[in-house]
Amino acid sequence: MPELAALVSEHLAAATASPRGRSALKIIHDGPLRQTVIALAGGQKLEEHNTPPAATLQVLHGRVRLTSPGGDVVLSAGSLEPIPHERHGLTAVEDSVVLLTAVNREP
């Protein structure tokens, strides 16, 4: 498994070079557990979407804004935040990389 520091560098470079301003890689898929590294160039968004049954967001690099009807929160590198159990979005305040950990229902 690649080191997180290497994934941060690799996907941040890919996101800033991409016309869509993002790059992602699922690094763990074990039963209902998923972990994904997501890089967003500054100003880029993941539009509002539904939440899995349980999830956290850890900021590995940069600053992001987690948005939801219950209120927005700005997270900096090192922050770990549970994802609200409602529709939510994510905006990169600056070039950022996050680790999304989610537990999904098994089919």
Side-chain angles (χ1 to χ4, degrees), residues 63-98:
R63 281 188 317 143
V64 297
R65 176 175 287 109
L66 181 61
T67 60
S68 72
D72 296 357
V73 61
V74 175
L75 306 167
S76 298
S79 296
L80 177 64
E81 183 78 12
I83 293 181
H85 293 282
E86 56 191 347
R87 290 184 61 79
H88 63 279
L90 187 69
T91 301
V93 176
E94 57 191 42
D95 291 349
S96 299
V97 182
V98 299

